[in-house]
Amino acid sequence: MHRVSRFAVAGAAATALAVSLAACGGKSTDSGSSSTDDSKGKGVAIAYDIGGKGDQSFNDAAYAGMERAMKELNIGGEDVEPSDGESDADKIQRLTSLAKQGYNPVIGVGFAYAPAVKEVAAKFPKTTFGIVDDETVKANNVADLVFSEEQGSYLAGVAAAKATKSKTVGFVGGVETPLIKKFQAGFEQGVKDTDSSVKVRS
């Protein structure tokens, strides 16, 4: 349930950002030159998180949203894969390249893009940037695309509590971050509210 919910929301978020920008007549600019009077620019660009396209999760959701925006708005689009073991500098270079090419909006898929989005958005104030799963970057040209993670995982906890025959279920988080702890809290609460006798091992 969590994967389907997140897939739908992330795709919708990418589409919504592209649609809203097109409706406002967004412009793209190089940091060292005057703005280009082209309301569509080159279209929407997304830079994938670890796993890239084909992850059957929110990278694929972002791609689906981009495809929908391209079709419905008749705009161009570009998607860029991450490299193994890349640094923030690699992400900065990727986002800078997309902005210089005239893509608008430019969306970083995943909270790991926060430092890069913060730096590049400051250099391209007339380009709109989006970042999925992060709300720490505060700038007029940055849209934080965040979700109520605990709600989806709450439902997963309900399903787990109803399905278990051993009265013990497990939660496995990817990394130790506040974001994953929100998933964990939602899951544990869903189990508890459904059947308080079920134990959760996290």
Side-chain angles (χ1 to χ4, degrees), residues 52-141:
K53 189 164 60 176
D55 69 346
Q56 299 183 351
S57 187
F58 68 97
N59 283 318
D60 280 355
Y63 179 70
M66 184 184 77
E67 280 198 312
R68 180 178 172 188
M70 290 167 61
K71 181 178 180 181
E72 293 184 5
L73 302 174
N74 193 29
I75 59 173
E78 179 72 19
D79 58 323
V80 185
E81 296 282 351
S83 57
D84 291 337
E86 68 180 21
S87 65
D88 285 342
D90 295 317
K91 292 180 174 65
I92 290 168
Q93 183 179 18
R94 182 176 305 122
L95 298 182
T96 299
S97 174
L98 291 168
K100 279 185 175 179
Q101 290 176 62
Y103 290 102
N104 193 4
V106 175
I107 303 170
V109 184
F111 61 83
Y113 274 96
V117 167
K118 183 177 181 179
E119 180 169 331
V120 180
K123 295 177 181 177
F124 295 86
K126 294 185 179 180
T127 298
T128 298
F129 293 84
I131 181 167
V132 178
D133 265 354
D134 182 86
E135 53 187 344
T136 64
V137 183
K138 305 299 181 186
N140 291 334
N141 63 330

Side-chain angles (χ1 to χ4, degrees), residues 3 13 16 18 27 29 36 50 64 77 90 99 109-110 114 117 128 151 163 197:
R3 174 177 287 174
K27 296 178 182 178
T29 179
T36 302
I50 295 168
D90 295 317
V109 184
V117 167
T128 298
Q151 293 180 11
S197 69

Side-chain angles (χ1 to χ4, degrees), residues 170-193:
F171 172 87
V172 180
V175 288
E176 188 80 9
T177 64
L179 173 68
I180 299 302
K181 288 180 178 178
K182 287 175 67 178
F183 283 118
Q184 179 179 347
F187 181 84
E188 290 175 347
Q189 193 64 50
V191 172
K192 181 179 179 181
D193 289 350

